Amino acid sequence: MPLIRQIWESKLLTNNGPLVQDFERALGQHLSSEHVSVVNNATNGLMIAQRSLGFQGEVITTPFSFIATAHSIEWLGLKPVFVDIDKNYGNIDPKKVKKAINDKTGGILASHNFGFPADVEELSEIARNYNLPLVFDGAPAIGVKHKGKSITSYGDACILSFHATKIFTTLEGGAIISKTKETKDKIDQIRNFNIRNEEEIGGPGINGKMNEIQAAIGLTGIKNIENTIQLRKKRYQIYTDCLSELKSLVIPALKNDWKYNYSYYPIFFSQGNKMRETIFKDLKKKNIHCRKYWYPLISDHTCYSNESYDIPNAQKLSDSVLALPMGNDVCEKLIEFISKIIRKALNE
């Protein structure tokens, strides 16, 4: 417990302490980024990034994501505008983004759904051509690379989550990876109540700081990220070996220019919602809890359903998706057992 002892001896528990600074440097080295700002959770990270980059008015985003993606927009007093996604990975469709841009558009908030890289080149080109800030919600995407580069290097900023459900955790927490030092400086100020100095406030800010104990947990765990990814890769491959021949299932194919972190194992049922619900219940009866990521769609929740959207791909994926267990307690026998239940229900 040397890091915890160091905290108590320093008597500095928060407010950009030495372990937070060490953690930011360690993350920066891991991600090949000079501009890392750790925060107390990824939702605050999303809000701080949008505020720092001048998001305003309408923000084009995805309906197929965790609810925090849209909440971060709404909480800032902005309007989320939902557009459709691709058919294979559930990432926002750049063509739909471009079509939705108008004179009220003040930003684009895309996601790397399931940690699968979004179409970063085309989205970046659209943002550049229309002079719009672009943020990626990369909550589960630590360790993911696209064409040899960390997925966090795309966009004006990318947010990671270190929640307890992620492959790398500080229990709660997250990080904002910025493209420029100027953006990082704004982020660092806003996450500390927007305090410029002891006598001057730069505008509305928030308490988004990570504390020293979270940073200590992060420093301890960051050395094991690649080992964790390799263990999850083995589970991912066992699932694929067991399920890939089933005709009623669609398993997203990993692209050759990706390095995936195996955060999730999502499958999609070609028979849709009815079969998904049957298998979900069959597995639950055996005390195997899967997740319907992302059902319902964000745009179907009451607080966001005041407008209708043309999002058939998102609706289809939402009605058919099931994310299978991938945690450390998932062994080969359990994967085979889960696969047997699925095969039986599909009658294949």
PDB file of all heavy atoms in Angstrom, residues 251-285:
ATOM      1  N   ILE A 251     -22.350 -11.414 -35.808  1.00  0.00           N
ATOM      2  CA  ILE A 251     -21.263 -11.021 -34.918  1.00  0.00           C
ATOM      3  C   ILE A 251     -20.414 -10.001 -35.660  1.00  0.00           C
ATOM      4  O   ILE A 251     -19.903 -10.294 -36.751  1.00  0.00           O
ATOM      5  CB  ILE A 251     -20.397 -12.235 -34.526  1.00  0.00           C
ATOM      6  CG1 ILE A 251     -21.260 -13.293 -33.830  1.00  0.00           C
ATOM      7  CG2 ILE A 251     -19.237 -11.806 -33.623  1.00  0.00           C
ATOM      8  CD1 ILE A 251     -20.560 -14.631 -33.656  1.00  0.00           C
ATOM      9  N   PRO A 252     -20.267  -8.786 -35.136  1.00  0.00           N
ATOM     10  CA  PRO A 252     -19.485  -7.771 -35.844  1.00  0.00           C
ATOM     11  C   PRO A 252     -18.064  -8.252 -36.133  1.00  0.00           C
ATOM     12  O   PRO A 252     -17.393  -8.793 -35.252  1.00  0.00           O
ATOM     13  CB  PRO A 252     -19.476  -6.583 -34.872  1.00  0.00           C
ATOM     14  CG  PRO A 252     -20.681  -6.789 -34.013  1.00  0.00           C
ATOM     15  CD  PRO A 252     -20.822  -8.273 -33.872  1.00  0.00           C
ATOM     16  N   ALA A 253     -17.622  -8.062 -37.370  1.00  0.00           N
ATOM     17  CA  ALA A 253     -16.281  -8.474 -37.781  1.00  0.00           C
ATOM     18  C   ALA A 253     -15.285  -7.366 -37.436  1.00  0.00           C
ATOM     19  O   ALA A 253     -15.515  -6.190 -37.755  1.00  0.00           O
ATOM     20  CB  ALA A 253     -16.256  -8.766 -39.268  1.00  0.00           C
ATOM     21  N   LEU A 254     -14.203  -7.720 -36.794  1.00  0.00           N
ATOM     22  CA  LEU A 254     -13.180  -6.737 -36.455  1.00  0.00           C
ATOM     23  C   LEU A 254     -12.344  -6.424 -37.694  1.00  0.00           C
ATOM     24  O   LEU A 254     -11.881  -7.322 -38.385  1.00  0.00           O
ATOM     25  CB  LEU A 254     -12.280  -7.276 -35.337  1.00  0.00           C
ATOM     26  CG  LEU A 254     -12.999  -7.673 -34.040  1.00  0.00           C
ATOM     27  CD1 LEU A 254     -11.986  -8.166 -33.011  1.00  0.00           C
ATOM     28  CD2 LEU A 254     -13.818  -6.509 -33.490  1.00  0.00           C
ATOM     29  N   LYS A 255     -12.125  -5.146 -37.956  1.00  0.00           N
ATOM     30  CA  LYS A 255     -11.387  -4.736 -39.149  1.00  0.00           C
ATOM     31  C   LYS A 255      -9.883  -4.936 -38.952  1.00  0.00           C
ATOM     32  O   LYS A 255      -9.367  -4.856 -37.829  1.00  0.00           O
ATOM     33  CB  LYS A 255     -11.685  -3.274 -39.473  1.00  0.00           C
ATOM     34  CG  LYS A 255     -13.138  -3.018 -39.846  1.00  0.00           C
ATOM     35  CD  LYS A 255     -13.352  -1.581 -40.258  1.00  0.00           C
ATOM     36  CE  LYS A 255     -14.808  -1.326 -40.648  1.00  0.00           C
ATOM     37  NZ  LYS A 255     -15.027   0.084 -41.069  1.00  0.00           N
ATOM     38  N   ASN A 256      -9.193  -5.156 -40.063  1.00  0.00           N
ATOM     39  CA  ASN A 256      -7.759  -5.435 -40.013  1.00  0.00           C
ATOM     40  C   ASN A 256      -6.939  -4.258 -39.505  1.00  0.00           C
ATOM     41  O   ASN A 256      -5.853  -4.457 -38.956  1.00  0.00           O
ATOM     42  CB  ASN A 256      -7.258  -5.855 -41.407  1.00  0.00           C
ATOM     43  CG  ASN A 256      -7.803  -7.204 -41.834  1.00  0.00           C
ATOM     44  OD1 ASN A 256      -8.105  -8.051 -41.001  1.00  0.00           O
ATOM     45  ND2 ASN A 256      -7.949  -7.401 -43.140  1.00  0.00           N
ATOM     46  N   ASP A 257      -7.422  -3.028 -39.719  1.00  0.00           N
ATOM     47  CA  ASP A 257      -6.651  -1.868 -39.273  1.00  0.00           C
ATOM     48  C   ASP A 257      -7.046  -1.403 -37.872  1.00  0.00           C
ATOM     49  O   ASP A 257      -6.712  -0.300 -37.454  1.00  0.00           O
ATOM     50  CB  ASP A 257      -6.752  -0.708 -40.274  1.00  0.00           C
ATOM     51  CG  ASP A 257      -8.196  -0.286 -40.556  1.00  0.00           C
ATOM     52  OD1 ASP A 257      -9.112  -0.818 -39.899  1.00  0.00           O
ATOM     53  OD2 ASP A 257      -8.400   0.571 -41.435  1.00  0.00           O
ATOM     54  N   TRP A 258      -7.775  -2.257 -37.148  1.00  0.00           N
ATOM     55  CA  TRP A 258      -8.094  -1.987 -35.751  1.00  0.00           C
ATOM     56  C   TRP A 258      -7.235  -2.835 -34.826  1.00  0.00           C
ATOM     57  O   TRP A 258      -6.870  -3.968 -35.153  1.00  0.00           O
ATOM     58  CB  TRP A 258      -9.540  -2.355 -35.426  1.00  0.00           C
ATOM     59  CG  TRP A 258     -10.603  -1.505 -36.023  1.00  0.00           C
ATOM     60  CD1 TRP A 258     -10.460  -0.352 -36.731  1.00  0.00           C
ATOM     61  CD2 TRP A 258     -12.012  -1.774 -35.983  1.00  0.00           C
ATOM     62  NE1 TRP A 258     -11.679   0.129 -37.133  1.00  0.00           N
ATOM     63  CE2 TRP A 258     -12.644  -0.724 -36.679  1.00  0.00           C
ATOM     64  CE3 TRP A 258     -12.772  -2.787 -35.427  1.00  0.00           C
ATOM     65  CZ2 TRP A 258     -14.031  -0.667 -36.826  1.00  0.00           C
ATOM     66  CZ3 TRP A 258     -14.149  -2.741 -35.576  1.00  0.00           C
ATOM     67  CH2 TRP A 258     -14.773  -1.685 -36.261  1.00  0.00           C
ATOM     68  N   LYS A 259      -6.939  -2.280 -33.674  1.00  0.00           N
ATOM     69  CA  LYS A 259      -6.525  -3.091 -32.533  1.00  0.00           C
ATOM     70  C   LYS A 259      -7.633  -2.913 -31.502  1.00  0.00           C
ATOM     71  O   LYS A 259      -7.798  -1.837 -30.930  1.00  0.00           O
ATOM     72  CB  LYS A 259      -5.194  -2.630 -31.944  1.00  0.00           C
ATOM     73  CG  LYS A 259      -4.792  -3.464 -30.720  1.00  0.00           C
ATOM     74  CD  LYS A 259      -3.672  -2.830 -29.932  1.00  0.00           C
ATOM     75  CE  LYS A 259      -3.444  -3.610 -28.623  1.00  0.00           C
ATOM     76  NZ  LYS A 259      -2.498  -2.912 -27.726  1.00  0.00           N
ATOM     77  N   TYR A 260      -8.398  -3.965 -31.294  1.00  0.00           N
ATOM     78  CA  TYR A 260      -9.555  -3.877 -30.399  1.00  0.00           C
ATOM     79  C   TYR A 260      -9.138  -4.231 -28.973  1.00  0.00           C
ATOM     80  O   TYR A 260      -8.131  -4.917 -28.758  1.00  0.00           O
ATOM     81  CB  TYR A 260     -10.659  -4.811 -30.894  1.00  0.00           C
ATOM     82  CG  TYR A 260     -11.977  -4.671 -30.179  1.00  0.00           C
ATOM     83  CD1 TYR A 260     -12.508  -3.422 -29.905  1.00  0.00           C
ATOM     84  CD2 TYR A 260     -12.691  -5.798 -29.772  1.00  0.00           C
ATOM     85  CE1 TYR A 260     -13.721  -3.288 -29.249  1.00  0.00           C
ATOM     86  CE2 TYR A 260     -13.906  -5.680 -29.118  1.00  0.00           C
ATOM     87  CZ  TYR A 260     -14.415  -4.416 -28.854  1.00  0.00           C
ATOM     88  OH  TYR A 260     -15.610  -4.299 -28.193  1.00  0.00           O
ATOM     89  N   ASN A 261      -9.915  -3.756 -27.999  1.00  0.00           N
ATOM     90  CA  ASN A 261      -9.604  -4.075 -26.594  1.00  0.00           C
ATOM     91  C   ASN A 261     -10.555  -5.126 -26.008  1.00  0.00           C
ATOM     92  O   ASN A 261     -10.449  -5.453 -24.834  1.00  0.00           O
ATOM     93  CB  ASN A 261      -9.622  -2.813 -25.733  1.00  0.00           C
ATOM     94  CG  ASN A 261     -11.009  -2.195 -25.606  1.00  0.00           C
ATOM     95  OD1 ASN A 261     -11.990  -2.689 -26.160  1.00  0.00           O
ATOM     96  ND2 ASN A 261     -11.103  -1.085 -24.886  1.00  0.00           N
ATOM     97  N   TYR A 262     -11.502  -5.605 -26.820  1.00  0.00           N
ATOM     98  CA  TYR A 262     -12.407  -6.690 -26.412  1.00  0.00           C
ATOM     99  C   TYR A 262     -13.221  -6.327 -25.176  1.00  0.00           C
ATOM    100  O   TYR A 262     -13.481  -7.157 -24.307  1.00  0.00           O
ATOM    101  CB  TYR A 262     -11.617  -7.992 -26.217  1.00  0.00           C
ATOM    102  CG  TYR A 262     -10.781  -8.306 -27.432  1.00  0.00           C
ATOM    103  CD1 TYR A 262      -9.445  -7.930 -27.505  1.00  0.00           C
ATOM    104  CD2 TYR A 262     -11.361  -8.919 -28.531  1.00  0.00           C
ATOM    105  CE1 TYR A 262      -8.698  -8.161 -28.653  1.00  0.00           C
ATOM    106  CE2 TYR A 262     -10.619  -9.161 -29.685  1.00  0.00           C
ATOM    107  CZ  TYR A 262      -9.292  -8.777 -29.736  1.00  0.00           C
ATOM    108  OH  TYR A 262      -8.544  -9.008 -30.878  1.00  0.00           O
ATOM    109  N   SER A 263     -13.659  -5.064 -25.133  1.00  0.00           N
ATOM    110  CA  SER A 263     -14.507  -4.596 -24.037  1.00  0.00           C
ATOM    111  C   SER A 263     -15.821  -5.363 -23.973  1.00  0.00           C
ATOM    112  O   SER A 263     -16.321  -5.666 -22.893  1.00  0.00           O
ATOM    113  CB  SER A 263     -14.827  -3.104 -24.208  1.00  0.00           C
ATOM    114  OG  SER A 263     -13.691  -2.323 -24.022  1.00  0.00           O
ATOM    115  N   TYR A 264     -16.382  -5.642 -25.143  1.00  0.00           N
ATOM    116  CA  TYR A 264     -17.700  -6.259 -25.217  1.00  0.00           C
ATOM    117  C   TYR A 264     -17.694  -7.405 -26.218  1.00  0.00           C
ATOM    118  O   TYR A 264     -16.854  -7.461 -27.124  1.00  0.00           O
ATOM    119  CB  TYR A 264     -18.747  -5.234 -25.671  1.00  0.00           C
ATOM    120  CG  TYR A 264     -18.940  -4.074 -24.734  1.00  0.00           C
ATOM    121  CD1 TYR A 264     -18.227  -2.885 -24.914  1.00  0.00           C
ATOM    122  CD2 TYR A 264     -19.819  -4.149 -23.662  1.00  0.00           C
ATOM    123  CE1 TYR A 264     -18.405  -1.811 -24.059  1.00  0.00           C
ATOM    124  CE2 TYR A 264     -20.003  -3.091 -22.803  1.00  0.00           C
ATOM    125  CZ  TYR A 264     -19.288  -1.920 -23.000  1.00  0.00           C
ATOM    126  OH  TYR A 264     -19.457  -0.868 -22.155  1.00  0.00           O
ATOM    127  N   TYR A 265     -18.687  -8.295 -26.047  1.00  0.00           N
ATOM    128  CA  TYR A 265     -18.969  -9.278 -27.082  1.00  0.00           C
ATOM    129  C   TYR A 265     -20.450  -9.137 -27.449  1.00  0.00           C
ATOM    130  O   TYR A 265     -21.316  -9.843 -26.923  1.00  0.00           O
ATOM    131  CB  TYR A 265     -18.663 -10.706 -26.639  1.00  0.00           C
ATOM    132  CG  TYR A 265     -18.596 -11.651 -27.821  1.00  0.00           C
ATOM    133  CD1 TYR A 265     -17.391 -11.859 -28.480  1.00  0.00           C
ATOM    134  CD2 TYR A 265     -19.735 -12.277 -28.315  1.00  0.00           C
ATOM    135  CE1 TYR A 265     -17.317 -12.684 -29.587  1.00  0.00           C
ATOM    136  CE2 TYR A 265     -19.674 -13.105 -29.424  1.00  0.00           C
ATOM    137  CZ  TYR A 265     -18.459 -13.296 -30.057  1.00  0.00           C
ATOM    138  OH  TYR A 265     -18.390 -14.102 -31.166  1.00  0.00           O
ATOM    139  N   PRO A 266     -20.757  -8.192 -28.357  1.00  0.00           N
ATOM    140  CA  PRO A 266     -22.149  -8.011 -28.753  1.00  0.00           C
ATOM    141  C   PRO A 266     -22.527  -8.956 -29.882  1.00  0.00           C
ATOM    142  O   PRO A 266     -21.741  -9.213 -30.796  1.00  0.00           O
ATOM    143  CB  PRO A 266     -22.174  -6.555 -29.234  1.00  0.00           C
ATOM    144  CG  PRO A 266     -20.796  -6.333 -29.780  1.00  0.00           C
ATOM    145  CD  PRO A 266     -19.866  -7.187 -28.957  1.00  0.00           C
ATOM    146  N   ILE A 267     -23.726  -9.493 -29.813  1.00  0.00           N
ATOM    147  CA  ILE A 267     -24.280 -10.289 -30.903  1.00  0.00           C
ATOM    148  C   ILE A 267     -25.637  -9.701 -31.262  1.00  0.00           C
ATOM    149  O   ILE A 267     -26.299  -9.055 -30.434  1.00  0.00           O
ATOM    150  CB  ILE A 267     -24.420 -11.781 -30.531  1.00  0.00           C
ATOM    151  CG1 ILE A 267     -25.294 -11.951 -29.269  1.00  0.00           C
ATOM    152  CG2 ILE A 267     -23.044 -12.401 -30.328  1.00  0.00           C
ATOM    153  CD1 ILE A 267     -25.556 -13.410 -28.895  1.00  0.00           C
ATOM    154  N   PHE A 268     -26.044  -9.916 -32.510  1.00  0.00           N
ATOM    155  CA  PHE A 268     -27.318  -9.386 -32.986  1.00  0.00           C
ATOM    156  C   PHE A 268     -28.132 -10.531 -33.594  1.00  0.00           C
ATOM    157  O   PHE A 268     -27.605 -11.330 -34.375  1.00  0.00           O
ATOM    158  CB  PHE A 268     -27.079  -8.290 -34.033  1.00  0.00           C
ATOM    159  CG  PHE A 268     -26.301  -7.123 -33.505  1.00  0.00           C
ATOM    160  CD1 PHE A 268     -24.916  -7.090 -33.591  1.00  0.00           C
ATOM    161  CD2 PHE A 268     -26.944  -6.057 -32.895  1.00  0.00           C
ATOM    162  CE1 PHE A 268     -24.182  -6.029 -33.095  1.00  0.00           C
ATOM    163  CE2 PHE A 268     -26.232  -4.992 -32.394  1.00  0.00           C
ATOM    164  CZ  PHE A 268     -24.851  -4.972 -32.492  1.00  0.00           C
ATOM    165  N   PHE A 269     -29.405 -10.600 -33.217  1.00  0.00           N
ATOM    166  CA  PHE A 269     -30.279 -11.678 -33.660  1.00  0.00           C
ATOM    167  C   PHE A 269     -31.050 -11.246 -34.900  1.00  0.00           C
ATOM    168  O   PHE A 269     -31.795 -10.255 -34.863  1.00  0.00           O
ATOM    169  CB  PHE A 269     -31.255 -12.063 -32.545  1.00  0.00           C
ATOM    170  CG  PHE A 269     -30.576 -12.654 -31.342  1.00  0.00           C
ATOM    171  CD1 PHE A 269     -30.202 -11.857 -30.276  1.00  0.00           C
ATOM    172  CD2 PHE A 269     -30.275 -14.007 -31.289  1.00  0.00           C
ATOM    173  CE1 PHE A 269     -29.565 -12.390 -29.170  1.00  0.00           C
ATOM    174  CE2 PHE A 269     -29.628 -14.551 -30.189  1.00  0.00           C
ATOM    175  CZ  PHE A 269     -29.269 -13.739 -29.130  1.00  0.00           C
ATOM    176  N   SER A 270     -30.886 -11.972 -35.973  1.00  0.00           N
ATOM    177  CA  SER A 270     -31.568 -11.613 -37.219  1.00  0.00           C
ATOM    178  C   SER A 270     -33.083 -11.741 -37.083  1.00  0.00           C
ATOM    179  O   SER A 270     -33.834 -11.121 -37.835  1.00  0.00           O
ATOM    180  CB  SER A 270     -31.072 -12.494 -38.372  1.00  0.00           C
ATOM    181  OG  SER A 270     -31.271 -13.863 -38.086  1.00  0.00           O
ATOM    182  N   GLN A 271     -33.531 -12.535 -36.099  1.00  0.00           N
ATOM    183  CA  GLN A 271     -34.971 -12.675 -35.858  1.00  0.00           C
ATOM    184  C   GLN A 271     -35.527 -11.549 -34.986  1.00  0.00           C
ATOM    185  O   GLN A 271     -36.723 -11.513 -34.709  1.00  0.00           O
ATOM    186  CB  GLN A 271     -35.251 -14.031 -35.206  1.00  0.00           C
ATOM    187  CG  GLN A 271     -34.859 -15.203 -36.087  1.00  0.00           C
ATOM    188  CD  GLN A 271     -35.044 -16.536 -35.378  1.00  0.00           C
ATOM    189  OE1 GLN A 271     -35.994 -16.726 -34.634  1.00  0.00           O
ATOM    190  NE2 GLN A 271     -34.128 -17.468 -35.605  1.00  0.00           N
ATOM    191  N   GLY A 272     -34.655 -10.669 -34.510  1.00  0.00           N
ATOM    192  CA  GLY A 272     -35.102  -9.464 -33.844  1.00  0.00           C
ATOM    193  C   GLY A 272     -35.419  -9.606 -32.371  1.00  0.00           C
ATOM    194  O   GLY A 272     -34.930 -10.503 -31.671  1.00  0.00           O
ATOM    195  N   ASN A 273     -36.295  -8.703 -31.916  1.00  0.00           N
ATOM    196  CA  ASN A 273     -36.541  -8.503 -30.488  1.00  0.00           C
ATOM    197  C   ASN A 273     -37.105  -9.745 -29.801  1.00  0.00           C
ATOM    198  O   ASN A 273     -36.718 -10.065 -28.677  1.00  0.00           O
ATOM    199  CB  ASN A 273     -37.499  -7.316 -30.299  1.00  0.00           C
ATOM    200  CG  ASN A 273     -37.710  -6.982 -28.843  1.00  0.00           C
ATOM    201  OD1 ASN A 273     -38.576  -7.540 -28.189  1.00  0.00           O
ATOM    202  ND2 ASN A 273     -36.913  -6.052 -28.329  1.00  0.00           N
ATOM    203  N   LYS A 274     -38.004 -10.454 -30.451  1.00  0.00           N
ATOM    204  CA  LYS A 274     -38.658 -11.583 -29.798  1.00  0.00           C
ATOM    205  C   LYS A 274     -37.643 -12.660 -29.419  1.00  0.00           C
ATOM    206  O   LYS A 274     -37.646 -13.178 -28.295  1.00  0.00           O
ATOM    207  CB  LYS A 274     -39.730 -12.167 -30.714  1.00  0.00           C
ATOM    208  CG  LYS A 274     -40.551 -13.266 -30.061  1.00  0.00           C
ATOM    209  CD  LYS A 274     -41.685 -13.730 -30.978  1.00  0.00           C
ATOM    210  CE  LYS A 274     -42.514 -14.812 -30.307  1.00  0.00           C
ATOM    211  NZ  LYS A 274     -43.613 -15.287 -31.191  1.00  0.00           N
ATOM    212  N   MET A 275     -36.751 -13.009 -30.348  1.00  0.00           N
ATOM    213  CA  MET A 275     -35.743 -14.018 -30.061  1.00  0.00           C
ATOM    214  C   MET A 275     -34.737 -13.496 -29.034  1.00  0.00           C
ATOM    215  O   MET A 275     -34.311 -14.240 -28.136  1.00  0.00           O
ATOM    216  CB  MET A 275     -35.022 -14.431 -31.338  1.00  0.00           C
ATOM    217  CG  MET A 275     -33.942 -15.489 -31.125  1.00  0.00           C
ATOM    218  SD  MET A 275     -34.563 -16.994 -30.293  1.00  0.00           S
ATOM    219  CE  MET A 275     -35.631 -17.672 -31.566  1.00  0.00           C
ATOM    220  N   ARG A 276     -34.352 -12.225 -29.130  1.00  0.00           N
ATOM    221  CA  ARG A 276     -33.429 -11.643 -28.158  1.00  0.00           C
ATOM    222  C   ARG A 276     -33.997 -11.745 -26.746  1.00  0.00           C
ATOM    223  O   ARG A 276     -33.295 -12.131 -25.802  1.00  0.00           O
ATOM    224  CB  ARG A 276     -33.135 -10.196 -28.531  1.00  0.00           C
ATOM    225  CG  ARG A 276     -31.982  -9.541 -27.734  1.00  0.00           C
ATOM    226  CD  ARG A 276     -32.442  -8.793 -26.495  1.00  0.00           C
ATOM    227  NE  ARG A 276     -33.457  -7.826 -26.740  1.00  0.00           N
ATOM    228  CZ  ARG A 276     -33.227  -6.572 -27.174  1.00  0.00           C
ATOM    229  NH1 ARG A 276     -32.004  -6.170 -27.415  1.00  0.00           N
ATOM    230  NH2 ARG A 276     -34.243  -5.728 -27.339  1.00  0.00           N
ATOM    231  N   GLU A 277     -35.258 -11.409 -26.596  1.00  0.00           N
ATOM    232  CA  GLU A 277     -35.890 -11.446 -25.276  1.00  0.00           C
ATOM    233  C   GLU A 277     -35.979 -12.879 -24.750  1.00  0.00           C
ATOM    234  O   GLU A 277     -35.787 -13.124 -23.559  1.00  0.00           O
ATOM    235  CB  GLU A 277     -37.280 -10.813 -25.335  1.00  0.00           C
ATOM    236  CG  GLU A 277     -37.272  -9.321 -25.615  1.00  0.00           C
ATOM    237  CD  GLU A 277     -36.521  -8.538 -24.564  1.00  0.00           C
ATOM    238  OE1 GLU A 277     -36.609  -8.874 -23.364  1.00  0.00           O
ATOM    239  OE2 GLU A 277     -35.806  -7.590 -24.939  1.00  0.00           O
ATOM    240  N   THR A 278     -36.273 -13.828 -25.626  1.00  0.00           N
ATOM    241  CA  THR A 278     -36.347 -15.232 -25.216  1.00  0.00           C
ATOM    242  C   THR A 278     -35.010 -15.701 -24.661  1.00  0.00           C
ATOM    243  O   THR A 278     -34.935 -16.319 -23.584  1.00  0.00           O
ATOM    244  CB  THR A 278     -36.758 -16.116 -26.409  1.00  0.00           C
ATOM    245  OG1 THR A 278     -38.075 -15.754 -26.826  1.00  0.00           O
ATOM    246  CG2 THR A 278     -36.731 -17.590 -26.035  1.00  0.00           C
ATOM    247  N   ILE A 279     -33.938 -15.419 -25.379  1.00  0.00           N
ATOM    248  CA  ILE A 279     -32.613 -15.870 -24.957  1.00  0.00           C
ATOM    249  C   ILE A 279     -32.150 -15.107 -23.721  1.00  0.00           C
ATOM    250  O   ILE A 279     -31.531 -15.693 -22.817  1.00  0.00           O
ATOM    251  CB  ILE A 279     -31.619 -15.732 -26.131  1.00  0.00           C
ATOM    252  CG1 ILE A 279     -31.989 -16.749 -27.206  1.00  0.00           C
ATOM    253  CG2 ILE A 279     -30.174 -15.918 -25.652  1.00  0.00           C
ATOM    254  CD1 ILE A 279     -31.192 -16.653 -28.476  1.00  0.00           C
ATOM    255  N   PHE A 280     -32.456 -13.837 -23.657  1.00  0.00           N
ATOM    256  CA  PHE A 280     -32.125 -13.049 -22.470  1.00  0.00           C
ATOM    257  C   PHE A 280     -32.744 -13.676 -21.218  1.00  0.00           C
ATOM    258  O   PHE A 280     -32.080 -13.832 -20.182  1.00  0.00           O
ATOM    259  CB  PHE A 280     -32.635 -11.605 -22.653  1.00  0.00           C
ATOM    260  CG  PHE A 280     -32.418 -10.711 -21.470  1.00  0.00           C
ATOM    261  CD1 PHE A 280     -31.189 -10.103 -21.251  1.00  0.00           C
ATOM    262  CD2 PHE A 280     -33.454 -10.452 -20.572  1.00  0.00           C
ATOM    263  CE1 PHE A 280     -30.984  -9.268 -20.168  1.00  0.00           C
ATOM    264  CE2 PHE A 280     -33.257  -9.624 -19.477  1.00  0.00           C
ATOM    265  CZ  PHE A 280     -32.019  -9.029 -19.271  1.00  0.00           C
ATOM    266  N   LYS A 281     -34.001 -14.060 -21.322  1.00  0.00           N
ATOM    267  CA  LYS A 281     -34.695 -14.675 -20.182  1.00  0.00           C
ATOM    268  C   LYS A 281     -34.165 -16.079 -19.888  1.00  0.00           C
ATOM    269  O   LYS A 281     -34.026 -16.457 -18.717  1.00  0.00           O
ATOM    270  CB  LYS A 281     -36.202 -14.720 -20.458  1.00  0.00           C
ATOM    271  CG  LYS A 281     -36.856 -13.342 -20.470  1.00  0.00           C
ATOM    272  CD  LYS A 281     -38.313 -13.412 -20.889  1.00  0.00           C
ATOM    273  CE  LYS A 281     -38.924 -12.016 -20.959  1.00  0.00           C
ATOM    274  NZ  LYS A 281     -40.333 -12.052 -21.454  1.00  0.00           N
ATOM    275  N   ASP A 282     -33.865 -16.849 -20.935  1.00  0.00           N
ATOM    276  CA  ASP A 282     -33.319 -18.193 -20.735  1.00  0.00           C
ATOM    277  C   ASP A 282     -31.994 -18.133 -19.974  1.00  0.00           C
ATOM    278  O   ASP A 282     -31.742 -18.947 -19.061  1.00  0.00           O
ATOM    279  CB  ASP A 282     -33.096 -18.886 -22.084  1.00  0.00           C
ATOM    280  CG  ASP A 282     -34.396 -19.322 -22.747  1.00  0.00           C
ATOM    281  OD1 ASP A 282     -35.448 -19.290 -22.077  1.00  0.00           O
ATOM    282  OD2 ASP A 282     -34.356 -19.678 -23.944  1.00  0.00           O
ATOM    283  N   LEU A 283     -31.149 -17.181 -20.338  1.00  0.00           N
ATOM    284  CA  LEU A 283     -29.863 -17.036 -19.668  1.00  0.00           C
ATOM    285  C   LEU A 283     -30.038 -16.525 -18.239  1.00  0.00           C
ATOM    286  O   LEU A 283     -29.356 -16.973 -17.315  1.00  0.00           O
ATOM    287  CB  LEU A 283     -28.968 -16.075 -20.467  1.00  0.00           C
ATOM    288  CG  LEU A 283     -28.456 -16.634 -21.805  1.00  0.00           C
ATOM    289  CD1 LEU A 283     -27.844 -15.524 -22.653  1.00  0.00           C
ATOM    290  CD2 LEU A 283     -27.437 -17.743 -21.584  1.00  0.00           C
ATOM    291  N   LYS A 284     -30.987 -15.625 -18.058  1.00  0.00           N
ATOM    292  CA  LYS A 284     -31.219 -15.069 -16.716  1.00  0.00           C
ATOM    293  C   LYS A 284     -31.694 -16.153 -15.750  1.00  0.00           C
ATOM    294  O   LYS A 284     -31.352 -16.148 -14.559  1.00  0.00           O
ATOM    295  CB  LYS A 284     -32.228 -13.928 -16.794  1.00  0.00           C
ATOM    296  CG  LYS A 284     -32.260 -13.052 -15.551  1.00  0.00           C
ATOM    297  CD  LYS A 284     -33.113 -11.817 -15.774  1.00  0.00           C
ATOM    298  CE  LYS A 284     -33.064 -10.905 -14.546  1.00  0.00           C
ATOM    299  NZ  LYS A 284     -33.879  -9.668 -14.750  1.00  0.00           N
ATOM    300  N   LYS A 285     -32.499 -17.107 -16.256  1.00  0.00           N
ATOM    301  CA  LYS A 285     -32.959 -18.219 -15.421  1.00  0.00           C
ATOM    302  C   LYS A 285     -31.783 -19.053 -14.906  1.00  0.00           C
ATOM    303  O   LYS A 285     -31.874 -19.696 -13.860  1.00  0.00           O
ATOM    304  CB  LYS A 285     -33.917 -19.115 -16.218  1.00  0.00           C
ATOM    305  CG  LYS A 285     -35.278 -18.491 -16.481  1.00  0.00           C
ATOM    306  CD  LYS A 285     -36.116 -19.403 -17.359  1.00  0.00           C
ATOM    307  CE  LYS A 285     -37.454 -18.753 -17.699  1.00  0.00           C
ATOM    308  NZ  LYS A 285     -38.252 -19.597 -18.628  1.00  0.00           N
TER     309      LYS A 285
END
